[in-house]
Amino acid sequence: MPDLRQKAATASTADKQPADALVLFGAMGDLAHKKIFPALYNMVRRGRLNVPVIGVARAGRTDQHLKERARDSVKQKGGNVDEAALSKLESLLRYVGGDYQNPHTFEALKKALASSQRPAHYLAIPPSLFESVVQSLDRSGCMRNARVIVEKPFGHNLESAQQLNAALHAILPESSIFRIDHYLGKEAVLNLLIFRFANSFLEPIWNRNYIESVQITMAENFGIEGRGAFYDDTGAIRDVVENHMLQVVAFLAMEPPTCLHGESVRDETAKVFRTIPALDPRNLVRGQFDGYKKEEGVAPDSKVETFAAVRLEVRSWRWSGVPFLIRAGKCLPVTATEVFVRLRKPPLESLPGSTSNSFHFTLGPGEISMSLNAQVKRPGEAMVSMPARLCAVEGQTADEMDAYERLLGDAMHGDAMLFVREDAVESAWAVVEPILGNVSPLYSYRPGTWGPKEADALAEDIGGWHNPKKNAAGACSD
Ligand code: BG6
């Protein structure tokens, strides 16, 4: 299989000049500390980052504070630290401080960018600030030949996503806008595309004639980790269903990208979103874990879901009639994301013990696995079958590229294949729009359980939910 990315890169070179500076808004924030500095460090280590990185944050700090923050972030990741790479990253860092509403902040940034012709501005800041920051960047002259990398959530519903798109497009062309969904940068998620399109045995059966149902579960065994104010305004559907989960659906359901031009993966993704009818609240079960309302930043009478299970259809020639089920929640028994694809039963019902085959992909964290549940003859006299599992487990390679590193590198090089395009983000919001807010009962569940039992009914006719195991190796042994 040719490298889809190389195809994309050679298809249009006009927008592919590498950025010559990275501006990081929210440089002292949580996301920068958890994900972005480690990604930048790894980019330096691999020789993929060699341009000034300007961290913008509130006033009162210095270059030294920024460097210490970056060092602390890289060290807390553990493992051996490459001191030379870390010092190099420190040497690239510059601090610009000030309020995001104050024009002086952007004047100072303009000065710091004096020698840059093509900056990339990364907005790792609360979404409510996206529009005004982009406008201030434009007014201050910092947007010339620039790219913008926008964190999720992109909008709060369809209307706000459309407004945000319009506000960005008033200043930048689509080819300069990079909407992040970090699931698109994950090795295991990208593997779904390769597994589907690089194996010819799969194509004849990857459709409604052979596949009975598809389930995707994103389970997290932790709560909202101090993000109460953000989460209570967001909830599970906006936080992970509208983006991460629908992207996984798209990779499972899309038609083969043609590889002939850089947009083909994004075209096929957008097509899947357009074939999913808007979700019906009757096919939704929302839950909230006991104790959520006591979290800091959460309203004492909050009706926000920390668990959502939903059933959808992909109304295409390939998938008509095949239920796709999504389930995502906080405080569940394990942390694991997995895809479970059940095949139709063979017609020989009379063969004792025969059950349907299934494919099972674990998408992390840590190890990833792919398994096929098959039936083989049970040893002995009787002519009966028993389950056997063909399983491949792949541990994380020592030097695996993390999603943020991959995506930041791509954005710096103008490669948009793994970013969410305008039409896709709007179609995804259109899909979830009817299930946003308080549209269905909210059931409580005990932390450490698989969410409210009411969710079981959604999967009753497809053999029930398949619960992920603690780790990928475990997934190979049940
Ligand atoms: C983020 C959500 O987008 O994804 C979090 O805001 C969630 O709530 C996280 O925990 C999961 O990402 P990962 O990479 O840890 O699976």
Side-chain angles (χ1 to χ4, degrees):
M1 185 168 174
D3 185 339
L4 287 173
R5 199 191 287 270
Q6 268 172 19
K7 287 280 180 187
T10 49
S12 92
T13 46
D15 298 318
K16 309 277 185 207
Q17 291 248 52
D20 60 4
L22 176 66
V23 181
L24 172 56
F25 285 87
M28 291 303 214
D30 227 34
L31 183 69
H33 193 260
K34 271 199 200 138
K35 303 277 190 188
I36 303 172
F37 286 125
L40 296 177
Y41 156 78
N42 281 320
M43 285 165 76
V44 170
R45 207 169 48 79
R46 286 187 230 267
R48 292 179 86 212
L49 181 71
N50 197 14
V51 297
V53 177
I54 300 168
V56 187
R58 70 185 152 80
R61 318 279 175 78
T62 61
D63 280 359
Q64 197 47 37
H65 285 121
L66 186 63
K67 289 175 202 220
E68 277 161 20
R69 183 88 172 150
R71 177 165 283 270
D72 185 65
S73 149
V74 171
K75 294 249 156 143
Q76 57 93 40
K77 279 270 163 199
N80 287 338
V81 173
D82 176 341
E83 263 306 320
L86 185 51
S87 306
K88 170 85 191 287
L89 173 62
E90 287 176 324
S91 74
L92 297 174
L93 292 172
R94 302 273 174 284
Y95 161 81
V96 168
D99 192 308
Y100 296 142
Q101 314 288 353
N102 187 341
H104 294 314
T105 310
F106 295 86
E107 283 156 25
L109 177 61
K110 176 84 176 123
K111 267 194 205 135
L113 280 173
S115 57
S116 162
Q117 306 298 311
R118 296 177 306 280
H121 301 289
Y122 181 4
L123 310 188
I125 49 178
S128 54
L129 296 171
F130 290 164
E131 202 172 320
S132 75
V133 166
V134 166
Q135 286 161 354
S136 302
L137 283 168
D138 188 41
R139 274 194 295 271
S140 60
C142 294
M143 268 310 194
R144 211 159 300 128
N145 297 322
R147 293 190 185 120
V148 155
I149 305 163
V150 195
E151 259 303 327
K152 72 168 260 285
F154 191 91
H156 201 65
N157 54 18
L158 177 57
E159 194 187 350
S160 56
Q162 285 168 332
Q163 271 167 11
L164 185 53
N165 272 331
L168 293 180
H169 283 145
I171 293 168
L172 291 163
E174 178 64 18
S175 59
S176 302
I177 303 170
F178 293 76
R179 298 174 193 81
I180 288 206
D181 177 333
H182 79 281
Y183 256 55
L184 287 177
K186 281 180 183 260
E187 195 70 21
V189 173
L190 294 174
N191 185 46
L192 291 175
L193 277 191
I194 299 296
F195 182 69
R196 278 197 57 201
F197 298 123
N199 291 306
S200 53
F201 67 84
L202 217 53
E203 178 54 22
I205 61 165
W206 205 255
N207 55 50
R208 71 195 145 84
N209 297 322
Y210 291 89
I211 290 182
E212 189 179 76
S213 63
V214 178
Q215 292 184 25
I216 305 162
T217 296
M218 176 183 181
E220 293 179 314
N221 68 0
F222 48 86
I224 51 173
E225 297 189 305
R227 296 194 303 158
F230 161 79
Y231 201 87
D232 210 38
D233 203 29
T234 308
I237 295 169
R238 289 186 170 95
D239 188 34
V240 299
V241 174
E242 178 273 334
N243 36 68
H244 307 332
M245 295 293 91
L246 284 185
Q247 288 293 341
V248 174
V249 170
F251 277 12
L252 291 167
M254 67 161 61
E255 295 305 314
T258 61
C259 293
L260 293 178
H261 59 93
E263 287 298 316
S264 66
V265 170
R266 303 208 298 172
D267 286 346
E268 296 306 332
T269 302
K271 273 200 232 162
V272 173
F273 293 160
R274 286 200 293 271
T275 55
I276 303 176
L279 297 178
D280 184 338
R282 286 172 303 183
N283 292 328
L284 167 73
V285 174
R286 296 190 310 131
Q288 189 186 79
F289 67 80
D290 294 338
Y292 171 72
K293 292 189 189 72
K294 297 211 177 79
E295 298 269 353
E296 203 186 321
V298 170
D301 58 349
S302 172
K303 297 271 185 293
V304 164
E305 75 284 345
T306 59
F307 171 97
V310 65
R311 186 167 166 134
L312 57 87
E313 267 178 274
V314 179
R315 227 178 258 170
S316 63
W317 190 268
R318 186 187 284 270
W319 294 111
S320 175
V322 179
F324 279 70
L325 276 75
I326 290 174
R327 183 174 56 154
K330 301 280 186 195
C331 286
L332 300 189
V334 299
T335 298
T337 300
E338 71 155 45
V339 173
F340 188 76
V341 178
R342 195 187 290 277
L343 275 75
R344 293 193 189 286
K345 272 190 174 179
L348 265 187
E349 288 281 355
S350 55
L351 201 59
S354 88
T355 55
S356 47
N357 302 133
S358 55
F359 284 105
H360 184 188
F361 305 89
T362 62
L363 307 182
E367 290 176 322
I368 60 175
S369 76
M370 202 292 285
S371 62
L372 166 63
N373 293 312
Q375 294 289 320
V376 296
K377 183 182 172 304
R378 184 186 294 283
E381 208 177 319
M383 198 55 191
V384 291
S385 68
M386 66 171 198
R389 188 173 274 230
L390 309 175
C391 190
V393 181
E394 215 177 280
Q396 231 170 345
T397 52
D399 208 15
E400 187 170 307
M401 193 177 274
D402 147 271
Y404 273 90
E405 182 189 352
R406 185 191 314 274
L407 294 177
L408 273 177
D410 284 3
M412 297 284 287
H413 284 88
D415 184 344
M417 187 177 98
L418 301 178
F419 292 84
V420 188
R421 206 170 59 190
E422 174 197 15
D423 52 343
V425 78
E426 292 185 6
S427 303
W429 277 116
V431 168
V432 299
E433 187 85 355
I435 62 162
L436 295 176
N438 206 4
V439 292
S440 69
L442 181 71
Y443 302 102
S444 61
Y445 62 96
R446 268 185 304 116
T449 64
W450 284 104
K453 61 177 179 355
E454 284 76 5
D456 293 352
L458 286 178
E460 208 171 278
D461 63 332
I462 61 158
W465 289 102
H466 190 272
N467 293 334
K469 294 280 182 292
K470 255 202 180 72
N471 54 43
C476 281
S477 60
D478 70 345

